[in-house]
Amino acid sequence: MPEIAEVARVTHFLREYLVDKKIAKVLAPDDANVFGKVGTSGPAFAKALTGKTVEDVGRQGKYFWLLLDSPPHAVMHLGMTGWVQIRGVQTGYTRYLEKTAKADKAQWPPKYWKFQLETDGDPRVEVAFTDARRFGRIRLVDCPGKDIRKHTPLAENGPDPVADKDVFTEDFLRRKMRSRHVPIKALLLDQATISGIGNWVGDEIMYQAKLHPEQYCDDFDDADISTLFKAIQYVCDTAVDKLGDSEQFPAHWLFNHRWGKGKKDSATTLPNGEKITFITVGGRTSCVVPSVQKKKGQTTVDDEGEEEEESTPAENGTESRFFESKSAAKREAGEAKSAGRPSKKSRTKQSTAVKEEEKEAKPIPSETKKSRKGKKEEKPTEPSAELGRRRSTRLSRTAT
């Protein structure tokens, strides 16, 4: 999913090519998901943008918008696979280009487009919003441009760690962490708390801070919170500054090694030999380097036997031990409840033996009327005399 860096890349190109341009033409076939789920339609979107001039392009976390010379304004979210294409311009970042077929690069309009727009003047600019899986969202927000962040959906989202440095401070982070009791990575992924941090950015932050993603957010000391805040700033600033182009990311980043889960011959260690594992935190797969990211406080699992657990992850390497601890707790409760009783296996063997004894002790039941009725006396079948005569007649004819 595109995160803070990828959205910064999109806004960079839109700002460069659309600001102060008048939109001459818009095509937007209706889509019940992309437009409909946020209260608008393709035709309504096209009508609202046609003839308008783009005054600015803004972003907050995973959202970005076109600020027009009059409302309503277009607010967009890329979802899982959304992207913005500009004809003749390579807007895609490295990983996006790796997933895009070469044949698609020259195609216009691009495959899976949801709207296209053209500007007037020379040079003419053509822009398309694409989304293969249709989790992206395009809406219209009817308000003065300066108030756009006071309206849905932006008002419900937390501060952007890059764009809102006056709001996102160390004290802000501390207050949010102390007021919740969830794994720290789940807190970072909560867009209502902080905008823009997604799965890979969250993993990178935790790795750079040398903190474990399963540790509860209200169980970090001030020193760890300060370290985490600096890691958030460092990772987000760097990723946005490089416009999400992974080829320009620092060589020591976990990002460069975290994409091999489930792939054949993929690396399971960092270049220095430290092991990479995958667990589930907050419903998302998380990449962790256990030798670097030590648990320092209360986590979603019992820390007893921590050293052994760190070196021996779950069998499939993906599930969080949080779920294992729940199962263990249920087992312990069951053992306490059934103290003094034989085990389930032994009870099963005993009950089977009792059933066999009862079966042997029971007298053989006498024949019932139904069983007697079902049995018919078998009578020997005799060859039909008619058949015998017919056969002899045929034989006699043949002899003649």
Side-chain angles (χ1 to χ4, degrees):
M1 174 187 285
E3 304 179 26
I4 187 171
E6 293 82 5
V7 173
R9 185 178 185 87
V10 166
T11 57
H12 165 80
F13 284 105
L14 289 176
R15 191 176 287 120
E16 181 178 350
Y17 287 92
L18 282 187
V19 170
D20 295 331
K21 294 276 189 178
K22 186 176 182 178
I23 300 172
K25 180 182 177 182
V26 182
L27 297 176
D30 200 15
D31 189 298
N33 285 357
V34 176
F35 295 103
K37 287 195 173 181
V38 286
T40 189
S41 67
F45 176 83
K47 183 180 179 180
L49 269 66
T50 303
K52 300 287 185 67
T53 298
V54 180
E55 292 189 339
D56 197 5
V57 179
R59 69 168 187 83
Q60 176 186 338
K62 298 181 183 181
Y63 283 97
F64 63 101
W65 58 88
L66 300 179
L67 201 64
L68 306 174
D69 55 0
S70 64
H73 310 282
V75 178
M76 292 163 272
H77 191 291
L78 295 172
M80 294 291 291
T81 58
W83 197 249
V84 172
Q85 311 272 13
I86 300 176
R87 191 168 193 175
V89 179
Q90 183 177 307
T91 61
Y93 55 100
T94 305
R95 282 187 59 77
Y96 177 83
L97 294 174
E98 289 173 356
K99 295 177 182 179
T100 306
K102 292 181 180 180
D104 294 340
K105 294 178 183 178
Q107 179 182 338
W108 195 270
K111 200 172 181 181
Y112 307 119
W113 65 275
K114 299 305 168 185
F115 77 74
Q116 299 177 60
L117 65 82
E118 293 180 13
T119 66
D120 63 2
D122 188 22
R124 183 179 65 177
V125 178
E126 296 179 66
V127 177
F129 183 104
T130 62
D131 187 6
R133 296 183 64 185
R134 301 170 64 215
F135 287 112
R137 297 292 179 260
I138 302 170
R139 73 184 79 205
L140 296 170
V141 177
D142 193 354
C143 71
K146 61 183 178 65
D147 296 331
I148 194 166
R149 293 188 64 178
K150 297 177 183 177
H151 290 74
T152 299
L154 306 176
E156 290 80 13
N157 278 253
D160 183 301
V162 177
D164 301 317
K165 290 188 180 294
D166 57 330
V167 179
F168 183 72
T169 62
E170 186 175 327
D171 182 60
F172 172 90
L173 179 63
R174 182 181 294 104
R175 283 187 282 107
K176 291 295 182 180
M177 290 174 66
R178 296 277 164 81
S179 65
R180 301 279 298 277
H181 184 68
V182 295
I184 183 58
K185 188 183 175 185
L187 182 79
L188 294 180
L189 297 185
D190 180 9
Q191 300 302 297
T193 302
I194 308 170
S195 289
I197 298 176
N199 208 32
W200 81 256
V201 174
D203 282 350
E204 194 65 52
I205 289 168
M206 299 309 299
Y207 175 72
Q208 296 298 329
K210 298 182 180 181
L211 301 173
H212 199 282
E214 284 185 320
Q215 187 168 331
Y216 283 111
C217 62
D218 58 346
D219 200 34
F220 287 90
D221 59 27
D222 285 341
D224 285 336
I225 293 173
S226 180
T227 299
L228 179 62
F229 175 73
K230 290 172 183 175
I232 294 172
Q233 285 191 314
Y234 164 64
V235 172
C236 292
D237 285 348
T238 304
V240 168
D241 182 59
K242 303 301 181 184
L243 297 178
D245 188 351
S246 58
E247 288 187 349
Q248 299 184 47
F249 288 171
H252 67 276
W253 273 24
L254 180 64
F255 179 96
N256 301 309
H257 312 284
R258 72 180 300 280
W259 305 101
K261 178 177 176 279
K263 294 181 181 178
K264 188 178 180 181
D265 300 327
S266 61
T268 57
T269 61
L270 296 177
N272 61 5
E274 291 172 328
K275 189 174 182 179
I276 298 172
T277 62
F278 293 92
I279 60 175
T280 301
V281 183
R284 303 295 300 276
T285 298
S286 300
C287 182
V288 182
V289 181
S291 59
V292 174
Q293 298 168 258
K294 298 289 187 179
K295 297 176 183 178
K296 301 179 180 180
Q298 186 183 8
T299 67
T300 55
V301 295
D302 186 358
D303 282 344
E304 186 177 349
E306 175 64 23
E307 293 302 322
E308 183 180 350
E309 288 185 356
E310 287 290 5
S311 59
T312 311
E315 286 184 6
N316 58 14
T318 59
E319 289 299 323
S320 169
R321 287 184 292 274
F322 169 61
F323 299 104
E324 293 180 10
S325 65
K326 280 189 170 182
S327 301
K330 287 182 180 178
R331 285 197 299 271
E332 289 174 7
E335 288 171 5
K337 187 176 179 181
S338 60
R341 298 182 193 174
S343 67
K344 184 177 178 182
K345 189 173 181 181
S346 62
R347 288 200 306 272
T348 305
K349 287 182 177 179
Q350 288 174 4
S351 59
T352 305
V354 169
K355 285 180 181 178
E356 291 293 335
E357 289 176 6
E358 290 177 352
K359 188 176 178 182
E360 291 176 6
K362 283 182 181 179
I364 300 172
S366 57
E367 286 186 348
T368 61
K369 290 182 180 179
K370 285 186 178 180
S371 62
R372 285 197 299 270
K373 277 185 179 180
K375 291 184 179 180
K376 294 182 179 179
E377 293 182 6
E378 294 183 4
K379 297 179 179 180
T381 56
E382 297 180 0
S384 171
E386 184 67 26
L387 287 174
R389 286 198 299 271
R390 284 179 183 173
R391 186 181 177 193
S392 61
T393 305
R394 286 197 300 271
L395 290 172
S396 62
R397 283 203 206 105
T398 304
T400 308

